[in-house]
Amino acid sequence: MEQGKYYKLITSDSRNNYFNFREVWQYKDMILLLVKRNFVSRYKQTILGPAWAVIQPLLTTIVFTFIFGNVAGLANCGTVPTFLFYMCGNIAWHFFSGCLSGTANTFVSNRGIMGKVYFPRISMPIATVLSNLIGFGIQSAMFLAFLVIYHFVPGYSIGTNWYVLMAPLLILEAAVLGLGCGIIISAMTTKYRDLQFLVSFGVSLWMYATPVAYSMDLFEGSAVLYIIARANPMSPIVEMLRYGFLGGEAGSVDWMSYGWSWIFTLVILTWGVSLFNKVERTFMDTV
Amino acid sequence: MAEDILRIDHISKEYRLGMIGGTTLRDELQRRRAKRKGLEDPTSKIGDKNVGRIGETFLALDDVSFTVKHGERIGIIGHNGAGKSTLLKLICRITAPTKGSIEMNGRIASMLEVGTGFHPELSGRENIYMNGAILGMTKAEIDKKIEEIIDFSECRQFIDTPVKRYSSGMYVKLAFSVAAHLDSEIMIMDEVLAVGDMAFQRKCIAKMSEISKAQGRTILYVSHNMGTIRQLCDRCIVLDHGHLIFDGDVDKAISLYLDTNIEEKTHYSFRDNTNSKDVVTGEVKVQELEILDKTTMFYFGSRMKVSLVVDVHKAVESLQFRFIFLTSGGMAVAATTTERVCLQAGKNQRLNFELDISHLAPACYYVKIIAAEIDDAGIQIRHDRVAQAFAFTIQNFDGLRPVKWDCTYWGNYAIDLTKTLGETAEIS
C-alpha cells in the first residue's frame, strides 16, 4: 500500500509507545476547544461565573491567614503581610493540585468519549492543565493587585526582586509535575480504582509536606522533616515564588533542592508519558 | 483499478472472561492466591461455571482479513456478539488488536455513536465545533462548513440554545450532520441511522450515498437493518462468532445472515422437516418436491412446473397448497394458492402444479409452502408448513424488457406492460 499523507499502521506491537508530538499538534484545535469547554461549562448557570475562580483561593487564603498565621503563628515572614504570604503559596499549590487531580481521572471520567472516537489521548490531560492555567492566570492577577495595594500600606515592606522572572519557569515546572503525576495515576486507575480515593487524600498530605501553610524555616528544627521538605519537588517552587515576589523574609532560594526537583519532574514526566501511551492502547478493555 | 485504502490483516482480539482485570487490588490478590491453591475464584459469581474462570479467554475476533478499495461501501452484518463492533473499534483505534495489523491510507471518521463529546451546557453551534474537533476537523474546516451543517441538521432556529434543551431527535440530527460533513476518506458507522424520524433517515442514506458516489469516499456500515444495508452498500461482510464467513455480494450476504440461504437444486426432500403441533395438524405431510423443468434458472416471464409428493394420514376434502415467494432478504413478494384437491389417505401421492412466476422480477427467490384446508366456516386449518422449501433464480430476459430491472428501486413484482388507451389526443 502506498504510504499517503494519512497512512497509518496499527499493530498488536506495543513497543512503539513514544510520544507522537506531530499527531497532538494536528489536534491543537480540539485541545483549545476542550479548554474552552472545560472553562465555560464549569461556570455555566452560576451567578458569579468566573468570579468563583477568584473567590475560592481568596477564602482559603483568609482561613489560612487566620488559623495558621494568626492563631498558630506558623507564618514566619517578618514585615511581609501574612495575607500575601499565604496567597502566594495557596495559588501556586492550588494550580499544582488542580493539574494533578484534574488529570488523574482522565481515563475513567472520559471513557464515554474515548470509547467511541480516537484522538491522541494525551490531549485530554493537556487540555486539563491548560484550563487550570487560565484559572491560575486570573488568580495571579488578583495576587498582583493585592501586591500593589500592600506596597502602599504603611508598616509592611515587600522585597520584590529579580527572581520574579523565574516565575514562568516555576509555573511550568509545577504544571509538568502535576501532569506527570496525574497521568501516572490515571494510567493506573484504569485497573485499580483505589487510587482515586488516594488522590485527594494524597494531595492534601503532600500539601503539608510543602511550605504552603507555614514557612520553610519551621522545618529546620528537625533534620528529618527538613530533608523531607527539601526532597519534596514542590517546596523549592513555592519557596522561590515567595522569594521573588515577597522577598527574602518570606521565601528562600535553594539551588540544590531546585535542581533535584527538575530531575524528579522530568523523570516523572517521562515515566508518565510512556506509561500513558502503553495504557491508552487497550485501556477501553479494562476501564 | 481502485487502490486499497484499508487492509485488515489476520486480526484477532482476545478478551479475558469473567471479571476483567478485577476492580481492586484486594480482589486481584485473592484471585492470585486462589489460583495458586487451585481453588475456585472467590470473586466470581456463585454458580458461574462457564465464565469467570481465571485465565479463560474469549476471541471476539479470530483471524479476520479483508481489504477495502477506495470508494467501496461495505456493510458489516452478523448476529449479536459476532464481533462487528469490536472490528470497528479496532479500525477506529479505540483499542489495539491482540494479533495482526491494520493498514489504512486515509483519515477515519468514526460514528460509533452520535454526539460524541457533546456537552449539554454548550449551545448547538459550540457543540458543532467541539464535536467536529473531536472527530478530527480543524477549526478552519468547520468554519467553512458550519452553515451547511446547520442547514442539514434542520436545527437553525435552536442553534444558539444549549443542547440540553434539545429534543432527542434534534440532538441526533445535529450530531449526524457534523459527522456527515467530515472530510475523511473512510467513514465508519455503527447503526447511527436507527435514530431520527423516517424523513431524516432517508435524508441520511441519501447523503451517505452521495458522499460515497460523488466524492469517492469509503464507507463501512454496521447495521441490523437489511433495508438500509441493501440501499447503501455494494459489498457485504458477514461475521459469525468472530470469524469472517462471507465477503462479497450484498444479497448473498443478507440471505446468509438471515439463514434464508437455500441451495438451488431441482429435487428437495422434507422428510426431516418438523413443525410444532400448535402450528400444524400434521394430517398431511409434504415429503418431496421436484422442479420438473430440471433447472433453477428461469427467464423473466416464464412459468415453472413442480411436482409434490405428499403423505396423507387422514382424508381431506378440499386441500390447498399455498406457495409464498420471498426475496433472499426474507420479504414476501407474492403468493399463489392451488386449486382445491380432494385426497384420500395414503402415502406418497404425487401432485403436479404449474406456477405462474412470470411477474417475478429478476432476482433470487425462495418459496414457503403451506398445505391448508378451508372448513365450512371458512376457517383455515394448516396441515403442514415448509418454511424454506425451494429456491430459484429469475434471469433478466433481454428483449422483453430492454432496461435492466433494479429490485432495490422498482420492487420485486413486475406488472404487465401498461397499454396506451386509444390514440393520443392533444389537449386543447
Side-chain angles (χ1 to χ4, degrees):
Chain A
M1 194 183 288
E2 199 193 320
Q3 304 204 349
K5 189 181 171 193
Y6 297 109
Y7 177 81
K8 209 154 281 160
L9 174 69
I10 306 168
T11 56
S12 51
D13 190 1
S14 61
R15 275 171 300 176
N16 305 330
N17 43 19
Y18 58 91
F19 179 68
N20 190 343
F21 183 78
R22 216 185 96 220
E23 198 181 36
V24 175
W25 185 248
Q26 277 172 2
Y27 278 83
K28 61 182 185 300
D29 285 337
M30 187 193 80
I31 296 176
L32 291 179
L33 280 163
L34 279 172
V35 171
K36 197 180 148 204
R37 185 191 80 171
N38 286 351
F39 194 75
V40 171
S41 63
R42 187 178 298 165
Y43 302 114
K44 273 264 166 103
Q45 268 200 16
T46 58
I47 297 170
L48 296 174
W52 279 110
V54 171
I55 295 168
Q56 257 174 320
L58 193 62
L59 288 176
T60 329
T61 306
I62 291 169
V63 170
F64 272 37
T65 311
F66 182 69
I67 294 175
F68 295 113
N70 294 356
V71 178
L74 296 174
N76 195 1
C77 56
T79 55
V80 174
T82 323
F83 180 74
L84 282 185
F85 173 84
Y86 278 121
M87 185 174 267
C88 183
N90 251 323
I91 291 176
W93 183 261
H94 189 76
F95 173 63
F96 168 74
S97 69
C99 288
L100 198 161
S101 45
T103 52
N105 56 5
T106 305
F107 284 125
V108 175
S109 63
N110 291 308
R111 66 168 178 266
I113 164 168
M114 286 179 172
K116 295 297 177 190
V117 65
Y118 176 81
F119 50 83
R121 306 311 193 197
I122 197 86
S123 41
M124 244 8 179
I126 290 175
T128 309
V129 169
L130 290 179
S131 37
N132 271 306
L133 201 59
I134 296 179
F136 175 76
I138 297 171
Q139 290 159 12
S140 305
M142 171 182 74
F143 172 72
L144 292 177
F146 276 110
L147 193 68
V148 171
I149 291 167
Y150 270 101
H151 263 292
F152 299 105
V153 176
Y156 293 120
S157 96
I158 301 163
T160 310
N161 54 57
W162 287 110
Y163 273 93
V164 165
L165 298 179
M166 286 288 282
L169 196 63
L170 294 167
I171 295 311
L172 175 74
E173 193 188 343
V176 171
L177 186 61
L179 178 75
C181 295
I183 59 179
I184 288 173
I185 295 164
S186 75
M188 287 175 161
T189 37
T190 60
K191 226 174 168 193
Y192 304 112
R193 296 288 163 78
D194 309 51
L195 284 170
Q196 274 178 322
F197 303 103
L198 214 62
V199 170
S200 55
F201 175 69
V203 167
S204 50
L205 209 65
W206 192 344
M207 190 187 87
Y208 290 108
T210 313
V212 173
Y214 26 76
S215 321
M216 190 71 176
D217 21 344
L218 278 172
F219 287 107
E220 280 167 16
S222 148
V224 179
L225 284 179
Y226 190 55
I227 288 168
I228 292 174
R230 285 187 73 200
N232 173 0
M234 270 310 282
S235 299
I237 296 176
V238 172
E239 278 297 295
M240 237 170 172
L241 276 173
R242 278 191 183 138
Y243 185 87
F245 281 103
L246 306 172
E249 283 181 301
S252 60
V253 176
D254 182 345
W255 289 108
M256 209 179 107
S257 170
Y258 183 61
W260 152 250
S261 84
W262 261 112
I263 294 169
F264 186 88
T265 304
L266 292 176
V267 168
I268 285 283
L269 182 74
T270 319
W271 183 34
V273 168
S274 81
L275 193 65
F276 192 87
N277 279 334
K278 201 172 141 196
V279 167
E280 74 165 7
R281 291 168 50 83
T282 53
F283 84 98
M284 270 320 295
D285 304 338
T286 48
V287 74
Chain B
M1 194 63 193
E3 244 184 278
D4 289 352
I5 193 163
L6 180 68
R7 194 177 292 153
I8 313 285
D9 194 16
H10 300 284
I11 277 290
S12 295
K13 178 71 184 173
E14 193 178 76
Y15 284 107
R16 267 205 282 162
L17 279 183
M19 303 267 285
I20 298 164
T23 40
T24 63
L25 192 58
R26 202 176 116 239
D27 278 358
E28 190 92 329
L29 290 175
Q30 276 187 342
R31 198 174 302 139
R32 291 245 170 98
R33 197 165 53 221
K35 192 183 173 186
R36 208 174 50 229
K37 291 182 182 169
L39 298 172
E40 198 184 334
D41 182 358
T43 55
S44 71
K45 283 185 199 143
I46 296 165
D48 253 3
K49 287 290 168 201
N50 299 324
V51 292
R53 287 282 187 78
I54 319 143
E56 266 187 51
T57 55
F58 163 74
L59 278 173
L61 279 179
D62 191 0
D63 202 25
V64 170
S65 309
F66 62 94
T67 21
V68 181
K69 290 203 186 325
H70 202 269
E72 274 189 312
R73 287 157 289 150
I74 299 199
I76 300 171
I77 53 181
H79 299 283
N80 284 339
K84 306 183 295 291
S85 299
T86 309
L87 178 64
L88 293 196
K89 275 187 181 173
L90 293 180
I91 299 173
C92 294
R93 302 176 66 190
I94 285 156
T95 182
T98 316
K99 260 186 236 144
S101 66
I102 302 171
E103 273 182 286
M104 58 185 83
N105 215 344
R107 285 189 293 176
I108 282 198
S110 58
M111 292 162 70
L112 301 192
E113 178 192 66
V114 287
T116 313
F118 265 37
H119 197 287
E121 296 286 354
L122 301 180
S123 76
R125 193 185 298 273
E126 288 167 318
N127 269 312
I128 291 178
Y129 278 99
M130 191 69 241
N131 190 224
I134 285 175
L135 293 171
M137 281 202 257
T138 62
K139 192 167 173 296
E141 280 174 340
I142 307 170
D143 279 335
K144 234 187 295 170
K145 294 200 164 169
I146 183 109
E147 289 305 313
E148 214 181 312
I149 293 172
I150 297 172
D151 280 335
F152 190 85
S153 71
E154 304 167 353
C155 295
R156 182 171 289 280
Q157 198 186 341
F158 314 99
I159 203 67
D160 293 310
T161 310
V163 293
K164 65 176 172 182
R165 309 210 197 287
Y166 277 30
S167 76
S168 47
M170 279 156 62
Y171 190 89
V172 163
K173 281 177 175 186
L174 187 68
F176 182 85
S177 309
V178 182
H181 288 83
L182 286 174
D183 265 336
S184 55
E185 286 75 27
I186 306 168
M187 296 201 76
I188 294 187
M189 296 186 292
D190 192 355
E191 300 238 60
V192 280
L193 299 175
V195 286
D197 55 22
M198 281 312 288
F200 193 74
Q201 277 189 35
R202 221 173 296 134
K203 194 169 155 185
C204 294
I205 291 276
K207 177 79 188 171
M208 299 322 304
S209 303
E210 183 214 304
I211 285 174
S212 168
K213 283 171 191 160
Q215 304 169 23
R217 285 201 251 160
T218 311
I219 293 178
L220 263 70
Y221 178 52
V222 165
S223 179
H224 288 290
N225 183 339
M226 295 304 133
T228 54
I229 289 269
R230 196 172 284 132
Q231 271 180 302
L232 191 62
C233 305
D234 55 7
R235 182 178 146 198
C236 225
I237 281 168
V238 185
L239 291 175
D240 186 45
H241 294 99
H243 298 274
L244 191 145
I245 55 167
F246 182 82
D247 179 359
D249 181 64
V250 177
D251 278 322
K252 286 224 177 65
I254 291 174
S255 67
L256 191 70
Y257 165 68
L258 293 175
D259 210 10
T260 56
N261 188 33
I262 314 158
E263 201 190 336
E264 285 187 14
K265 49 187 184 180
T266 54
H267 187 268
Y268 295 85
S269 169
F270 312 123
R271 295 193 189 273
D272 302 329
N273 182 42
T274 49
N275 275 302
S276 149
K277 282 271 173 262
D278 303 334
V279 185
V280 296
T281 62
E283 287 169 15
V284 176
K285 184 96 177 62
V286 180
Q287 299 288 31
E288 278 172 50
L289 178 135
E290 199 180 341
I291 299 177
L292 298 173
D293 303 275
K294 297 288 171 211
T295 177
T296 60
M297 304 292 275
F298 293 86
Y299 280 116
F300 186 24
S302 55
R303 284 161 182 266
M304 174 198 261
K305 288 193 185 71
V306 294
S307 166
L308 283 184
V309 174
V310 292
D311 283 0
V312 182
H313 300 293
K314 202 173 139 194
V316 282
E317 272 177 27
S318 64
L319 186 72
Q320 288 183 307
F321 293 93
R322 188 177 306 125
F323 292 82
I324 303 167
F325 298 88
L326 301 101
T327 62
S328 51
M331 195 177 67
V333 175
T336 177
T337 312
T338 63
E339 288 165 338
R340 296 179 185 197
V341 287
C342 180
L343 293 176
Q344 297 303 313
K347 293 217 165 209
N348 294 330
Q349 305 190 40
R350 187 172 283 271
L351 294 148
N352 293 338
F353 301 107
E354 188 182 58
L355 298 168
D356 180 3
I357 54 169
S358 62
H359 285 96
L360 293 178
C364 302
Y365 298 91
Y366 73 97
V367 181
K368 179 176 179 177
I369 300 176
I370 288 165
E373 193 179 5
I374 311 293
D375 70 5
D376 299 336
I379 294 166
Q380 170 181 284
I381 306 156
R382 283 183 181 188
H383 290 308
D384 195 16
R385 184 182 71 170
V386 186
Q388 296 173 7
F390 64 101
F392 62 92
T393 305
I394 304 271
Q395 283 178 317
N396 215 8
F397 180 62
D398 303 326
L400 187 66
R401 306 243 181 194
V403 185
K404 190 176 178 284
W405 192 277
D406 190 340
C407 296
T408 310
Y409 297 103
W410 299 356
N412 286 82
Y413 188 87
I415 299 173
D416 279 334
L417 279 175
T418 300
K419 294 182 178 67
T420 317
L421 292 176
E423 285 188 18
T424 45
E426 258 180 53
I427 298 160
S428 52

